[in-house]
Amino acid sequence: PQGVTSILENAYFIYLAENTRRIEAIKELDPGLRARDVCVMVLKGAALIGSVYEDPGLRPMEDIDLMARPGGEKGLVEVLIKAGFTREPHFPGRYAKDGIKIDLPVHPLNADRVAARAGLLALDPAELFARSFSFQPGMTCVRRPSDIDHLLILAQHMVKHSFSKLIWLEDISRLLQKQ
Protein backbone atom coordinates (compact mmCIF):
# COMPACT_ATOMS: atom_id res chain seq x y z
CA PRO A 1 0.00 0.00 0.00
CA GLN A 2 1.09 3.57 -0.71
CA GLY A 3 1.14 4.52 2.99
CA VAL A 4 3.52 1.70 3.81
CA THR A 5 5.68 2.49 0.78
CA SER A 6 6.04 6.10 1.97
CA ILE A 7 7.02 5.00 5.48
CA LEU A 8 9.64 2.59 4.13
CA GLU A 9 11.01 5.17 1.67
CA ASN A 10 11.32 7.74 4.46
CA ALA A 11 13.07 5.22 6.72
CA TYR A 12 15.46 4.31 3.92
CA PHE A 13 16.47 7.93 3.30
CA ILE A 14 16.92 8.57 7.03
CA TYR A 15 19.18 5.49 7.36
CA LEU A 16 21.07 6.46 4.22
CA ALA A 17 21.81 9.97 5.54
CA GLU A 18 22.66 8.81 9.07
CA ASN A 19 24.87 5.94 7.95
CA THR A 20 26.70 8.10 5.43
CA ARG A 21 27.51 10.48 8.29
CA ARG A 22 28.62 7.55 10.48
CA ILE A 23 30.97 6.17 7.83
CA GLU A 24 32.43 9.64 7.26
CA ALA A 25 32.99 10.00 11.03
CA ILE A 26 34.93 6.71 11.02
CA LYS A 27 37.03 7.90 8.08
CA GLU A 28 37.78 11.18 9.86
CA LEU A 29 39.17 9.29 12.87
CA ASP A 30 41.73 7.37 10.80
CA PRO A 31 44.47 10.07 10.64
CA GLY A 32 44.33 10.65 14.41
CA LEU A 33 44.45 6.91 15.05
CA ARG A 34 47.44 6.51 12.73
CA ALA A 35 49.25 9.41 14.42
CA ARG A 36 48.87 7.65 17.79
CA ASP A 37 49.50 4.16 16.35
CA VAL A 38 46.12 3.01 17.65
CA CYS A 39 44.16 0.43 15.69
CA VAL A 40 40.43 -0.08 16.08
CA MET A 41 37.97 -2.61 14.81
CA VAL A 42 34.52 -1.60 13.64
CA LEU A 43 31.98 -4.19 14.80
CA LYS A 44 28.43 -5.15 13.88
CA GLY A 45 26.32 -2.78 11.75
CA ALA A 46 28.88 -0.24 10.61
CA ALA A 47 31.37 -2.99 9.73
CA LEU A 48 28.80 -4.60 7.45
CA ILE A 49 28.21 -1.48 5.38
CA GLY A 50 30.28 -1.77 2.25
CA SER A 51 30.90 -5.46 2.76
CA VAL A 52 27.48 -7.15 2.88
CA TYR A 53 25.28 -4.05 2.63
CA GLU A 54 26.48 -2.23 -0.48
CA ASP A 55 23.71 0.32 0.04
CA PRO A 56 24.14 2.09 3.42
CA GLY A 57 20.43 2.93 3.53
CA LEU A 58 19.51 -0.73 3.99
CA ARG A 59 21.10 -1.25 7.43
CA PRO A 60 19.50 0.52 10.41
CA MET A 61 21.75 1.13 13.40
CA GLU A 62 21.92 3.27 16.50
CA ASP A 63 25.65 3.68 17.01
CA ILE A 64 29.11 2.69 15.86
CA ASP A 65 30.92 0.01 17.83
CA LEU A 66 34.69 0.60 17.88
CA MET A 67 36.95 -1.79 19.75
CA ALA A 68 40.56 -0.71 20.25
CA ARG A 69 43.39 -3.18 19.82
CA PRO A 70 44.32 -4.33 23.35
CA GLY A 71 46.32 -1.57 25.02
CA GLY A 72 44.97 1.15 22.73
CA GLU A 73 41.83 2.06 24.63
CA LYS A 74 43.25 5.25 26.16
CA GLY A 75 44.61 6.42 22.80
CA LEU A 76 41.23 5.82 21.16
CA VAL A 77 39.48 7.95 23.78
CA GLU A 78 42.06 10.71 23.24
CA VAL A 79 41.44 10.62 19.48
CA LEU A 80 37.67 10.80 20.00
CA ILE A 81 37.95 13.76 22.38
CA LYS A 82 40.30 15.59 20.03
CA ALA A 83 37.76 15.01 17.24
CA GLY A 84 35.06 16.68 19.35
CA PHE A 85 33.31 13.66 20.83
CA THR A 86 32.21 13.85 24.46
CA ARG A 87 31.54 11.04 26.91
CA GLU A 88 27.87 10.36 27.53
CA PRO A 89 27.39 10.56 31.31
CA HIS A 90 24.84 7.75 31.65
CA PHE A 91 26.53 5.28 29.30
CA PRO A 92 30.09 4.36 30.23
CA GLY A 93 32.16 3.76 27.14
CA ARG A 94 29.88 5.76 24.84
CA TYR A 95 30.86 9.02 23.16
CA ALA A 96 28.76 11.35 21.02
CA LYS A 97 29.14 14.24 18.61
CA ASP A 98 26.46 15.85 16.45
CA GLY A 99 24.09 12.91 16.87
CA ILE A 100 26.73 10.29 16.07
CA LYS A 101 27.21 7.83 18.93
CA ILE A 102 30.26 5.63 19.31
CA ASP A 103 30.30 2.73 21.76
CA LEU A 104 33.69 1.44 22.92
CA PRO A 105 33.53 -2.23 23.86
CA VAL A 106 36.79 -3.60 25.26
CA HIS A 107 35.83 -7.16 24.30
CA PRO A 108 33.81 -8.22 21.22
CA LEU A 109 31.22 -9.96 23.42
CA ASN A 110 31.26 -7.15 26.01
CA ALA A 111 32.83 -9.56 28.50
CA ASP A 112 34.37 -6.50 30.15
CA ARG A 113 30.83 -5.45 31.13
CA VAL A 114 29.36 -8.91 31.82
CA ALA A 115 32.13 -11.29 32.92
CA ALA A 116 30.09 -14.47 32.30
CA ARG A 117 30.21 -13.82 28.55
CA ALA A 118 33.95 -14.48 28.41
CA GLY A 119 33.24 -18.21 28.58
CA LEU A 120 30.69 -18.21 25.74
CA LEU A 121 33.20 -18.12 22.92
CA ALA A 122 36.97 -18.03 22.78
CA LEU A 123 37.24 -14.67 21.02
CA ASP A 124 40.55 -13.17 22.04
CA PRO A 125 40.63 -9.53 20.86
CA ALA A 126 44.31 -9.79 19.86
CA GLU A 127 43.51 -12.80 17.65
CA LEU A 128 40.52 -11.00 16.14
CA PHE A 129 42.81 -8.15 15.10
CA ALA A 130 45.28 -10.63 13.59
CA ARG A 131 42.51 -12.05 11.37
CA SER A 132 40.86 -8.69 10.56
CA PHE A 133 40.75 -6.72 7.31
CA SER A 134 41.00 -3.04 6.42
CA PHE A 135 37.66 -1.31 6.96
CA GLN A 136 38.11 0.47 3.63
CA PRO A 137 40.97 0.59 1.13
CA GLY A 138 43.83 2.75 2.38
CA MET A 139 42.74 2.65 6.01
CA THR A 140 45.47 0.93 8.00
CA CYS A 141 44.28 1.61 11.56
CA VAL A 142 40.56 1.00 11.09
CA ARG A 143 39.74 -2.69 10.67
CA ARG A 144 36.72 -4.99 10.42
CA PRO A 145 36.49 -8.57 11.63
CA SER A 146 36.85 -11.55 9.35
CA ASP A 147 33.47 -12.85 8.20
CA ILE A 148 33.70 -15.95 10.43
CA ASP A 149 34.57 -13.90 13.52
CA HIS A 150 31.81 -11.48 12.68
CA LEU A 151 29.28 -14.32 12.42
CA LEU A 152 30.20 -15.42 15.94
CA ILE A 153 29.96 -11.87 17.30
CA LEU A 154 26.59 -11.25 15.65
CA ALA A 155 25.13 -14.57 16.82
CA GLN A 156 26.11 -13.84 20.41
CA HIS A 157 24.77 -10.29 20.14
CA MET A 158 21.45 -11.57 18.83
CA VAL A 159 21.11 -14.04 21.69
CA LYS A 160 22.12 -11.36 24.21
CA HIS A 161 19.19 -9.23 23.06
CA SER A 162 16.78 -12.20 23.21
CA PHE A 163 15.93 -11.85 19.53
CA SER A 164 14.24 -8.49 20.29
CA LYS A 165 15.65 -7.10 17.05
CA LEU A 166 15.77 -9.36 14.05
CA ILE A 167 18.29 -7.26 12.10
CA TRP A 168 21.05 -9.59 13.31
CA LEU A 169 19.34 -12.51 11.58
CA GLU A 170 19.50 -10.51 8.34
CA ASP A 171 23.16 -9.65 9.01
CA ILE A 172 24.00 -13.32 9.59
CA SER A 173 22.05 -14.39 6.50
CA ARG A 174 23.90 -11.87 4.32
CA LEU A 175 27.28 -12.92 5.71
CA LEU A 176 26.49 -16.57 4.99
CA GLN A 177 25.30 -15.76 1.46
CA LYS A 178 28.55 -13.88 0.85
CA GLN A 179 30.56 -17.09 1.36
Side-chain angles (χ1 to χ4, degrees):
Q2 181 57 40
V4 173
T5 302
S6 295
I7 290 169
L8 293 174
E9 284 176 349
N10 288 339
Y12 167 81
F13 287 115
I14 289 169
Y15 295 140
L16 178 63
E18 290 176 348
N19 290 344
T20 299
R21 288 183 60 232
R22 287 181 179 109
I23 299 305
E24 287 304 311
I26 294 168
K27 289 179 186 178
E28 289 171 10
L29 293 174
D30 189 55
L33 294 167
R34 276 185 288 152
R36 284 189 169 75
D37 196 28
V38 172
C39 284
V40 298
M41 188 176 307
V42 182
L43 302 172
K44 298 183 282 196
L48 297 170
I49 292 178
S51 64
V52 298
Y53 292 94
E54 292 301 321
D55 184 334
L58 296 178
R59 178 50 167 87
M61 68 180 112
E62 297 171 12
D63 61 12
I64 300 166
D65 292 276
L66 288 182
M67 182 180 71
R69 184 186 308 266
E73 296 85 357
K74 182 179 176 188
L76 172 54
V77 169
E78 291 170 357
V79 169
L80 288 173
I81 290 170
K82 186 170 184 180
F85 285 85
T86 57
R87 184 179 167 277
E88 289 194 336
H90 302 293
F91 296 98
R94 183 179 273 182
Y95 291 77
K97 172 186 165 185
D98 300 329
I100 295 174
K101 296 177 182 176
I102 297 181
D103 192 28
L104 305 181
V106 175
H107 185 275
L109 303 182
N110 289 320
D112 54 304
R113 297 175 186 167
V114 181
R117 290 186 189 149
L120 291 175
L121 293 169
L123 289 177
D124 178 2
E127 292 176 13
L128 287 176
F129 273 92
R131 293 187 297 263
S132 68
F133 299 95
S134 178
F135 178 68
Q136 288 190 347
M139 297 180 86
T140 56
C141 291
V142 181
R143 318 281 298 161
R144 67 174 179 81
S146 71
D147 290 345
I148 298 299
D149 288 333
H150 217 170
L151 280 169
L152 295 171
I153 292 166
L154 289 167
Q156 184 278 337
H157 196 70
M158 182 178 61
V159 171
K160 174 182 102 174
H161 286 285
S162 302
F163 300 90
S164 63
K165 293 182 183 177
L166 299 179
I167 188 64
W168 298 295
L169 282 175
E170 179 66 17
D171 294 344
I172 290 167
S173 172
R174 286 176 180 251
L175 272 169
L176 290 172
Q177 290 174 19
K178 183 180 169 188
Q179 301 304 314

